[in-house]
Amino acid sequence: MSFLDEAQSDVPLLSEKHSGIPEFLLEKAREAKAGVFETRTKPKATSDRRPVIPPGVEEQVFVTALGELEKQLGQDNVERNNKPLKDGWYMEHPNTHDLMTILDEEELVPSAMVYPGSTEEVQQVVLWANKYHIPISPISMGRNLGYGGAAPRVRGSVLVDLGRRMNKILDISPEDYTCLLEPGVSFFALHDAIKKKGYDHLWIDVPDVGGGSVIGNTVDRGVGYTPYGDHWACHSGLEVVLPTGEVIRTGMGALPGNNTWQTFPYGFGPYSDGIFSQSNFGIVTKMGMTLMPNPGGHEGFMYTFQKEEDLNQLIEIIRPLRISNILENVAQLRHVTQTIAVRGRPRTDFYKGEGTIPDSVVHEVAATLPIGDHTWAYYGMSYGPPHIRQYKLSIIDTEFKKVPGARRIDPSTLPPDEYFWARDRIASGTPELHELRWVNWMPNGAHIAFSPVSPIRGTDATKLFELAKKRHDEFGVDLFPAFCVGLREMHLIVELVYDRADPKRRKDVLDCLRHLVEDAAACGYGEYRTHLVLMDQVAGTYNWNDGALMKFHERLKDALDPNGIMAPGRCGIWPKKYRNRGWEMTKASGGNSQGDGVAPPS
Ligand code: ADP
């Protein structure tokens, strides 16, 4: 397919493909796609690709091994990664590489993709990987963009793409407000199924963009924006294939005949679920999730604040309101550059100079927008019937207006395509696609996140913001910060947007991020989640007591995965045969993702 054909082809629907778009978002998806291709200059990959094979495995052995797996899973379900790499875009994302690559795009690529259709077939893949000592890397949907997408950490791993054939909603309980899912169920699909069943009393919690897998997002500890925004805290029960091929069910799932797997997460004995999130200790094949009750009404609201320095006072106001649940959802406090960028236009529409876009330009543009000039925009949601909402909203109004210059934006004055309405839908459980648009800020736009956690305190927010600003100025990267306010902490998500076809820009952005991680750690802040290429560095910052936590993780890894086949290096956890061979990527080690081979099997 030519570049033009690709740009003009239609977006797959959810009814056609597990990763497709629901019909109600089709128009929006078409517009988003047009925007992405409008700014794309990157040519399609050429076909002279280096052959990709797993480390420590001979080409011929690998071919024989794949042939054996084909016999077990069927020919269509084993695919060698030897075709030109095609980027696509969010809705038509590749599983052959990271669409938003930060290294050369050939660095973090799998050697093959396999598509198991059941837990038993996942077990077969795992046993096969152990037999041949081939690293495997599981994904559910592979849309973890900004954190590595579908890519494995070790070049030449075999990607286990679970979503393609394991995408059933196994149960939705309208009485218990729970569901049981397979890996390929997206937020779009779960929302669609609940609507189709007519369960208006059930809500789901959705992240900024709804195309990710519920399981993938949850095991990577992603967040959403209703009161159920902490996805990991809201899951209940896992089915996991261990690195040696056994299957376990956690919590109440271990009790045969139980009817509480999705309602009581703990069961009896150690709570083992934690070791299966942000790790490489198993492949999750089923997960239970709790659903939110429809609160009987909701009302999005928005405030803007004029000055950068207002951040301190505002966060101090937010904390007690959030902890006491007057502010009920995981709200976002976003910076004005994002307000502009989320309109989907390239930066060159506003500014053509080098370095970061000047404040004067930003404020001039902001003054022309429906919400007017500002520095901070708070997007919140109040839940319940009108009189309950009124009670909470009046307290919020009094408190927020203590910040001089604070303005409440009347939503009825905003046009239907204003970003506010996307946040309004997200915070009331309807999945969206709008957020993507700021990627068009740069040609061939890609993003990677700096995501430190802090308490909900003004001084911490200001310190992190200033630290980010300083490094962004130094590297000439426009600053897109958003604070996502949890119950007692905030995730600051700073998205660095870059042209992925420009190696110099990619390097600048990665250097900027490495400084940010280091600067933040020096002040006692750590990331809640990170990109594949930063995992070693971030894991290295959690080093209290001579790295005691990582030593514990390595002991678990060695016990659970003696052959080191499961997602080596994920979250900085390396199996024994990779250790001390230069696989770690840190600020000091430079840009080599491939290390110096693996120890031969003992
Ligand atoms: P999403 O598409 O929901 O954003 P992904 O499928 O890309 O998420 O998953 C994000 C990351 O979480 C993957 O790279 C992988 O490391 C891990 N992961 C995803 N699904 C599973 C799973 N079923 N079992 C174990 N780890 C998983």
Side-chain angles (χ1 to χ4, degrees), residues 10 21 47 95 148 165 230 282 285 322 386 438 536 555 593:
D10 210 357
I21 194 84
S47 50
N95 63 3
R165 294 173 67 216
D230 180 347
T285 45
R322 182 72 181 102
W438 45 251
D536 295 309
R555 274 163 74 184
S593 78

Short mmCIF file of all heavy atoms in Angstrom, two decimals, residues 10 21 47 95 148 165 230 282 285 322 386 438 536 555 593:
data_model
loop_
_atom_site.label_atom_id
_atom_site.label_comp_id
_atom_site.label_asym_id
_atom_site.label_seq_id
_atom_site.Cartn_x
_atom_site.Cartn_y
_atom_site.Cartn_z
N ASP A 10 -9.75 3.75 5.24
CA ASP A 10 -10.62 4.09 6.38
C ASP A 10 -10.09 3.46 7.68
O ASP A 10 -9.32 2.50 7.65
CB ASP A 10 -12.05 3.65 6.10
CG ASP A 10 -13.04 4.56 6.82
OD1 ASP A 10 -12.59 5.46 7.57
OD2 ASP A 10 -14.25 4.37 6.65
N ILE A 21 -12.19 1.18 16.12
CA ILE A 21 -12.81 2.36 16.74
C ILE A 21 -14.32 2.14 16.86
O ILE A 21 -14.93 1.57 15.96
CB ILE A 21 -12.51 3.63 15.87
CG1 ILE A 21 -12.84 4.92 16.61
CG2 ILE A 21 -13.24 3.61 14.53
CD1 ILE A 21 -11.73 5.38 17.50
N SER A 47 13.12 -1.76 2.48
CA SER A 47 13.00 -3.18 2.80
C SER A 47 14.35 -3.84 3.10
O SER A 47 14.40 -5.00 3.43
CB SER A 47 12.29 -3.91 1.66
OG SER A 47 12.91 -3.55 0.45
N ASN A 95 2.73 -3.74 15.54
CA ASN A 95 3.27 -4.54 16.66
C ASN A 95 4.70 -4.96 16.35
O ASN A 95 5.29 -5.75 17.06
CB ASN A 95 2.38 -5.74 16.99
CG ASN A 95 2.29 -6.74 15.85
OD1 ASN A 95 2.92 -6.58 14.80
ND2 ASN A 95 1.48 -7.77 16.02
N GLY A 148 6.94 3.09 25.03
CA GLY A 148 7.59 2.01 24.27
C GLY A 148 6.67 1.29 23.30
O GLY A 148 7.12 0.45 22.53
N ARG A 165 -6.14 -12.57 19.35
CA ARG A 165 -7.09 -13.70 19.43
C ARG A 165 -7.71 -13.88 20.81
O ARG A 165 -8.66 -14.65 20.96
CB ARG A 165 -6.39 -14.97 18.98
CG ARG A 165 -6.02 -14.93 17.50
CD ARG A 165 -5.18 -16.13 17.10
NE ARG A 165 -5.92 -17.37 17.19
CZ ARG A 165 -5.38 -18.54 17.58
NH1 ARG A 165 -4.12 -18.60 17.94
NH2 ARG A 165 -6.12 -19.63 17.61
N ASP A 230 -7.58 4.97 39.64
CA ASP A 230 -6.40 4.13 39.91
C ASP A 230 -6.74 2.71 39.47
O ASP A 230 -7.31 1.92 40.23
CB ASP A 230 -6.07 4.20 41.41
CG ASP A 230 -4.86 3.38 41.79
OD1 ASP A 230 -4.40 2.55 40.96
OD2 ASP A 230 -4.36 3.54 42.91
N GLY A 282 5.32 -12.81 34.68
CA GLY A 282 4.25 -13.66 34.18
C GLY A 282 3.45 -12.99 33.08
O GLY A 282 3.64 -11.80 32.80
N THR A 285 -3.48 -13.54 31.61
CA THR A 285 -4.40 -14.00 30.57
C THR A 285 -5.86 -13.65 30.88
O THR A 285 -6.71 -13.69 29.98
CB THR A 285 -4.26 -15.52 30.36
OG1 THR A 285 -4.23 -16.14 31.64
CG2 THR A 285 -2.97 -15.84 29.61
N ARG A 322 -9.46 17.57 47.74
CA ARG A 322 -9.34 16.26 47.08
C ARG A 322 -9.39 15.14 48.12
O ARG A 322 -10.10 14.15 47.94
CB ARG A 322 -8.01 16.22 46.31
CG ARG A 322 -7.77 14.93 45.55
CD ARG A 322 -8.65 14.83 44.33
NE ARG A 322 -8.43 13.56 43.63
CZ ARG A 322 -9.23 12.51 43.70
NH1 ARG A 322 -10.34 12.54 44.42
NH2 ARG A 322 -8.96 11.40 43.04
N PRO A 386 -28.39 17.01 41.14
CA PRO A 386 -28.06 18.44 41.15
C PRO A 386 -27.80 19.05 42.52
O PRO A 386 -26.83 19.79 42.69
CB PRO A 386 -29.28 19.09 40.49
CG PRO A 386 -29.85 18.02 39.63
CD PRO A 386 -29.56 16.72 40.32
N TRP A 438 -2.22 16.84 20.20
CA TRP A 438 -1.00 17.63 20.40
C TRP A 438 0.23 16.99 19.79
O TRP A 438 1.29 17.61 19.67
CB TRP A 438 -0.77 18.03 21.85
CG TRP A 438 -0.98 16.98 22.90
CD1 TRP A 438 -2.00 16.95 23.79
CD2 TRP A 438 -0.15 15.86 23.21
NE1 TRP A 438 -1.88 15.87 24.63
CE2 TRP A 438 -0.75 15.19 24.28
CE3 TRP A 438 1.01 15.35 22.67
CZ2 TRP A 438 -0.23 14.03 24.85
CZ3 TRP A 438 1.55 14.19 23.21
CH2 TRP A 438 0.93 13.55 24.29
N ASP A 536 15.98 1.17 33.17
CA ASP A 536 17.15 0.89 34.01
C ASP A 536 17.49 2.09 34.88
O ASP A 536 17.77 1.96 36.07
CB ASP A 536 18.35 0.53 33.14
CG ASP A 536 18.13 -0.76 32.38
OD1 ASP A 536 17.75 -1.76 33.02
OD2 ASP A 536 18.30 -0.76 31.15
N ARG A 555 16.03 -11.76 42.92
CA ARG A 555 15.86 -13.10 43.51
C ARG A 555 14.56 -13.74 43.05
O ARG A 555 14.49 -14.92 42.75
CB ARG A 555 15.90 -13.02 45.04
CG ARG A 555 17.33 -13.09 45.54
CD ARG A 555 17.45 -12.62 46.95
NE ARG A 555 16.93 -13.57 47.92
CZ ARG A 555 16.87 -13.31 49.22
NH1 ARG A 555 17.29 -12.15 49.68
NH2 ARG A 555 16.40 -14.21 50.05
N SER A 593 21.24 -0.31 23.24
CA SER A 593 20.18 -1.06 23.93
C SER A 593 20.51 -2.55 23.96
O SER A 593 19.77 -3.33 24.54
CB SER A 593 18.84 -0.85 23.21
OG SER A 593 18.78 -1.64 22.04
#
